[in-house]
Amino acid sequence: MSSILLEIKESVGFITLNRPEKFNAFNREMALLLQDKLDECASKNEVRCIYLTGTGKAFCAGQDLGEVTGENPATFDKILLEHYNPIIKRIRSIPKPVVCAVNGVAAGAGANIAICCDIVVANETASFVQAFSKIGLIPDCGGTYFLPRLIGLQKATALMMLGDKVSAEEAERIGMIYKYFPAEKFSEESTSIAKTLAMMPTQAFALTKQALNESMQSNLEQQLNLEDKLQYKAANTSDYREGVSAFLEKRIPVFKGE
Ligand code: LHQ
């Protein structure tokens, strides 16, 4: 069985981390396969939303520590440059929404891959751990970029230094994730978000994502100019024309992602 599964249905690319016996921890093969599957979803027009989750009890325990041998910094550098950084860059640049459905514990790289996704939801049984400090590493996978922006510098610093386990409920409360769901509703509710997004104006989402990405380092003037430029592009999509027509005709719009 492959360590990464991809199933495309109802315009959603369902990607599943699939090494349950290792809490879906990443080895090299799995990290490279995830990059491939993200690329496949990016390139296929039929995929209008990506849904990322894990098999079994955990979402992802980060790097498979059994695979990290020796303490040669060059090896570590390679892991980030070849495994994780390309995953984070893909998730942020894919012009489609990426929903992360955190089914269980998300630790280390697993936690930070989750929080870089566009919409993060969790099972009530899930938890988030910045596990890096416990093994003498620093948070990676863009965690030092996204976490302080999501929950503030103070809390991010404490979680990263102390390595506390954050429950799904607390993660929602502090703004680390969008929502958590009771276990019995998690699958239905989380897939429903992805299926809903897949029926919405995909081009506008791509432009929204671009604007949000750039907002991380722009000032207001730059952001207003960017919104002007991107809104012009959105207004030239057929989904915009359909959205306005449907509103005026008092009917439900049929968006094609074009
Ligand atoms: C694991 C792992 C794991 C292998 C659980 N590997 N087996 C970047 C740069 C370069 C190199 C290093 O990495 C990175 C990025 C990173 O991600 S660094 C951070 C790596 N991850 C961690 O340090 C997390 C380690 N795991 C844990 O802290 C706990 O296992 C968590 C909090 C994930 C879950 O705790 P529990 O629910 O209490 O489960 P457990 O500890 O009993 O683990 C269950 C099994 O999964 C167990 O195997 P076993 O055969 O004994 O049942 C663990 O050994 C295995 N496992 N994480 N990362």
Side-chain angles (χ1 to χ4, degrees):
M1 196 57 132
S2 175
S3 56
I4 300 286
L5 309 175
L6 170 62
E7 187 186 6
I8 299 173
K9 56 179 185 193
E10 295 181 57
S11 302
V12 178
F14 290 90
I15 299 180
T16 306
L17 310 180
N18 188 41
R19 292 184 82 214
E21 71 288 355
K22 294 280 180 191
F23 268 31
N24 299 321
F26 278 97
N27 59 14
R28 180 172 173 82
E29 182 209 58
M30 181 173 157
L32 298 182
L33 256 178
L34 178 56
Q35 294 174 26
D36 287 350
K37 298 301 178 192
L38 288 167
D39 286 345
E40 192 176 334
C41 288
S43 68
K44 286 193 166 152
N45 285 341
E46 66 190 285
V47 176
R48 291 169 60 190
C49 179
I50 295 167
Y51 176 96
L52 177 65
T53 194
T55 306
K57 272 175 71 179
F59 169 68
C60 174
Q63 172 66 34
D64 184 336
L65 295 175
E67 296 247 327
V68 193
T69 50
E71 286 169 12
N72 177 358
T75 317
F76 274 49
D77 190 42
K78 205 170 149 195
I79 290 180
L80 292 188
L81 292 182
E82 294 182 3
H83 299 187
Y84 296 114
N85 294 359
I87 292 172
I88 302 301
K89 287 183 191 172
R90 277 169 171 77
I91 291 173
R92 290 312 316 156
S93 63
I94 285 175
K96 304 172 183 184
V98 181
V99 174
C100 185
V102 182
N103 53 299
V105 65
N112 289 339
I113 288 173
I115 62 168
C116 91
C117 293
D118 296 307
I119 297 182
V120 189
V121 294
N123 191 320
E124 68 182 336
T125 59
S127 54
F128 299 80
V129 195
Q130 294 290 324
F132 308 89
S133 62
K134 300 211 169 143
I135 55 168
L137 291 182
I138 71 147
D140 53 31
C141 291
T144 57
Y145 185 85
F146 292 106
L147 197 60
R149 285 168 169 80
L150 289 168
I151 66 172
L153 183 61
Q154 175 61 216
K155 213 156 183 98
T157 307
L159 292 182
M160 288 175 163
M161 290 187 174
L162 294 169
D164 296 340
K165 195 179 256 193
V166 177
S167 68
E169 184 183 11
E170 187 180 1
E172 178 189 311
R173 189 179 59 77
I174 63 180
M176 192 193 294
I177 65 169
Y178 172 49
K179 272 184 188 176
Y180 78 97
F181 298 113
E184 65 279 9
K185 293 203 165 155
F186 168 68
S187 178
E188 187 193 333
E189 297 277 1
S190 59
T191 54
S192 157
I193 290 174
K195 288 176 193 169
T196 300
L197 291 168
M199 293 295 103
M200 293 179 72
T202 314
Q203 299 302 321
F205 285 158
L207 299 168
T208 303
K209 194 162 166 173
Q210 186 185 338
L212 290 172
N213 278 340
E214 296 199 24
S215 78
M216 302 283 196
Q217 45 265 320
S218 304
N219 62 31
L220 178 61
E221 184 68 23
Q222 292 164 325
Q223 205 59 24
L224 289 172
N225 288 336
L226 179 65
E227 287 173 3
D228 175 48
K229 195 176 94 186
L230 299 183
Q231 195 66 291
Y232 182 76
K233 287 190 181 178
N236 275 303
T237 63
S238 56
D239 279 345
Y240 165 67
R241 289 188 288 281
E242 166 63 7
V244 174
S245 303
F247 176 79
L248 296 175
E249 293 160 19
K250 300 192 187 302
R251 61 175 175 81
I252 293 169
V254 181
F255 293 120
K256 296 193 172 136
E258 291 162 4

